Amino acid sequence: MRIKVINPNTTSSMTEVIAAAARAVAAPGTEIVAATSPMGPASIEGHYDEAVSVIGLLEEVRRGETEGADGYVIACFGDPGLLAVREIARGPVLGIAEAAMHVASFVATGFSIVTTLGRTRIIAEHLVRNYGMEHHCRRVRATELPVLELENPASGARRIITEECRRALAEDGSGAIVLGCAGMADLAAHIAREIGAPVIDGVAAAVKLVEALVGLGLGTSKTGDLAWPLPKRYTGPLAHLEPFSGGSGAS
Ligand code: 5HY
């Protein structure tokens, strides 16, 4: 099977971290196609960044539909454009936040999310409610680390995130940690060893869940709100994103 893992920001070095985490858990026979959004923000750290990032993401999914992708992973913790992507995809589509929260709820009654900037905390809190995870998510914590500082060795990111995870276990009554950024994908194993509790990276979790869904022969339902977008005229610089009248969003 072929799983397309898309980084909705435009920072290719971050896509490399994401791709390595995805390939590390992919089953034999699963091909990981990693893609960086061709346009938009270098990092996603708020509602505006998220909104603009969706266009590049949709471009990559439309391309994936012509490349025979069997499933998709949206590798950004805000799960930007999740439902829009599901409308134009045949195969299953998972956001890393959704995947990580569900996996965490399988291994602990309560989990904490440790994310980057405080201003993005609300985005994670909205997703907790959207996914019905209020009974499991004990707290969303921020480290005030900008997304792109995660890959800067001088930022102390690994130490700062590890200490915040340790505090979460001690103070939130949580039994597991969900890492709140795709750029943290390479830290999960180290932090789990350090704090002695499950640490869930959403990229890895989403890859395994997409594999499971494809293995079950399941794709995105085309009955109801996730049916193909209705054909209509699109104008201006986004005219090429016009829904394809034959059904799929792929032209
Ligand atoms: C992410 N931003 O996973 C989110 C994390 C965040 O560019 N990739 C980003 O801080 O919301």
Side-chain angles (χ1 to χ4, degrees):
M1 83 175 66
R2 173 178 295 168
I3 299 178
K4 191 163 187 178
V5 178
I6 305 168
N7 175 11
N9 74 39
T10 58
T11 302
S12 54
S13 53
M14 194 165 156
T15 307
E16 285 160 27
V17 169
I18 292 165
R23 292 187 176 116
V25 298
T30 295
E31 178 197 1
I32 299 292
V33 178
T36 305
S37 175
M39 64 186 83
S43 64
I44 299 165
E45 296 172 319
H47 308 292
Y48 184 82
D49 291 342
E50 212 172 70
V52 177
S53 76
V54 172
I55 298 300
L57 169 66
L58 290 170
E59 292 264 17
E60 283 303 326
V61 174
R62 285 167 65 99
R63 192 167 299 133
E65 289 296 287
T66 65
E67 296 161 348
D70 298 297
Y72 300 87
V73 171
I74 300 175
C76 173
F77 201 79
D79 295 355
L82 179 63
L83 297 180
V85 170
R86 284 180 174 159
E87 272 194 66
I88 62 168
R90 287 179 191 79
V93 179
L94 283 182
I96 63 171
E98 183 182 26
M101 291 186 207
H102 283 85
V103 166
S105 72
F106 298 151
V107 297
T109 311
F111 63 81
S112 296
I113 297 172
V114 174
T115 191
T116 55
L117 299 178
R119 66 175 293 157
T120 69
R121 219 192 340 248
I122 189 68
I123 294 175
E125 286 162 357
H126 284 172
L127 293 180
V128 166
R129 281 196 290 281
N130 286 356
Y131 299 144
M133 283 287 153
E134 301 95 319
H135 303 301
H136 294 287
C137 183
R138 299 282 181 265
R139 185 168 170 194
V140 179
R141 291 169 166 263
T143 57
E144 293 308 336
L145 284 161
V147 168
L148 296 182
E149 281 301 292
L150 294 172
E151 53 190 42
N152 170 10
S155 70
R158 191 169 80 161
R159 174 182 48 73
I160 293 166
I161 297 165
T162 303
E163 291 321 308
E164 193 65 42
C165 294
R166 210 188 295 281
R167 269 192 294 279
L169 292 186
E171 300 167 8
D172 305 348
S174 291
I177 300 292
V178 164
L179 295 178
C181 182
M184 296 176 184
D186 56 348
L187 300 177
H190 167 80
I191 299 174
R193 274 193 307 277
E194 287 291 311
I195 69 174
V199 174
I200 291 97
D201 153 46
V203 173
V207 167
K208 296 315 287 181
L209 291 176
V210 169
E211 282 181 337
L213 293 167
V214 173
L216 289 166
L218 295 172
T220 297
S221 171
K222 292 301 157 194
T223 303
D225 67 307
L226 299 178
W228 308 114
L230 299 169
K232 63 192 64 180
R233 302 285 310 122
Y234 278 34
T235 56
L238 299 180
H240 66 288
L241 288 176
E242 193 173 289
F244 186 56
S245 56
S248 100
S251 51

